[in-house]
Amino acid sequence: MHNVKGGVDLQEKERKSVKIRVALAFGIAVISASGVAFADDAETSADLVTNLCSNCHGKDGKGVSPTFPNLAAQKEEYIAAQIKAFRDRTRADPHAQAYMWGMASNPQLTDGVIEEVAKYYAKQTPAPATPAEDAALSEKGKALYMNGDETRAIPVCSQCHGLKAEGNATFPRLASQKKEYLSRQLRAFQKNTRENPLMHENSTNLTEGDIEALATYLASQ
């Protein structure tokens, strides 16, 4: 049997550690901004990436743990839209509330700065793919992604996210994303804890096996 309690304790320790590191970085960013005029958007975004965002997502956009998504080569429009949703608290899933609401409350995070942060991460080299340990499971995920399953009302994922899962405007890049993160988001859409009417409808009929297959395939791309 899996040591569920040990896993939960580890996640809680990681969450506390991240919150401490990010809180310190946030304090540094606020102190450095106090008493002086804000720098231009590009300089401010560079400071935030270095002192705040990189604590969880890495300066190069490769997330520091399975908890945090890779932002490297993510679609610029998608990143900007999500940061604004965190800032405005219109994205209210538990993960967003636990980590991103506080981060996005930074007074330096204007629309212009958000656009610069999004542009920066969008230009980074994609994270390396994670080779699938279960080839059959990955093939099942590929079939679902490319063809859907009309008999179960599961749509073709590639219609929005692209044949190579590289994303399209506000439809995010899924290729080489962390498997654990992809699985968690699909479950959140399915349970409607991350509200998105389109994705809730699209994920409603996915089984747990389908979710694992899709996440395995996409992480390997």
Side-chain angles (χ1 to χ4, degrees):
M1 294 179 66
H2 295 294
N3 188 344
V4 176
K5 186 178 186 301
V8 171
D9 289 343
L10 184 61
Q11 288 180 351
E12 185 60 27
K13 287 180 181 178
E14 179 186 62
R15 179 175 297 184
K16 288 180 179 178
S17 175
V18 168
K19 284 186 175 180
I20 291 171
R21 286 187 283 120
V22 172
L24 288 172
F26 177 75
I28 291 170
V30 171
I31 291 171
S32 65
S34 63
V36 298
F38 284 163
D40 63 33
D41 289 348
E43 290 181 1
T44 301
S45 67
D47 288 342
L48 287 176
V49 167
T50 300
N51 296 319
L52 193 63
C53 309
S54 62
N55 283 282
C56 298
H57 299 286
K59 188 173 181 180
D60 60 356
K62 281 76 170 177
V64 301
S65 81
T67 301
F68 307 108
N70 296 323
L71 298 182
Q74 183 56 273
K75 305 308 291 184
E76 182 179 332
E77 299 91 336
Y78 177 77
I79 295 175
Q82 295 309 302
I83 297 176
K84 290 175 183 177
F86 294 135
R87 183 191 63 185
D88 302 338
R89 301 193 173 185
T90 53
R91 177 173 165 182
D93 54 281
H95 192 77
Q97 293 186 44
Y99 295 104
M100 288 304 302
W101 277 17
M103 301 307 99
S105 67
N106 190 311
Q108 292 179 288
L109 211 57
T110 63
D111 283 355
V113 170
I114 288 173
E115 296 297 333
E116 289 295 328
V117 170
K119 187 183 302 181
Y120 169 81
Y121 277 120
K123 290 180 178 178
Q124 301 307 302
T125 303
T130 303
E133 296 181 358
D134 187 331
L137 187 64
S138 181
E139 282 300 311
K140 176 184 176 181
K142 180 179 181 179
L144 274 176
Y145 183 82
M146 293 296 186
N147 307 314
D149 186 338
E150 189 174 353
T151 64
R152 295 190 288 146
I154 297 174
V156 178
C157 308
S158 60
Q159 286 184 338
C160 294
H161 295 281
L163 292 175
K164 295 183 179 180
E166 293 177 341
N168 178 30
T170 55
F171 293 101
R173 173 190 175 91
L174 303 178
S176 70
Q177 187 55 267
K178 298 173 185 296
K179 176 183 175 180
E180 296 87 345
Y181 181 79
L182 290 168
S183 298
R184 185 169 63 248
Q185 296 310 303
L186 281 171
R187 294 186 189 105
F189 287 132
Q190 190 177 62
K191 296 175 182 177
N192 222 25
T193 54
R194 178 177 174 182
E195 292 186 21
N196 182 309
L198 177 61
M199 281 304 302
H200 176 62
E201 180 180 352
N202 291 347
S203 62
T204 294
N205 296 325
L206 292 175
T207 66
E208 187 62 24
D210 293 334
I211 289 174
E212 288 300 307
L214 283 166
T216 298
Y217 168 68
L218 291 166
S220 72
Q221 297 308 294

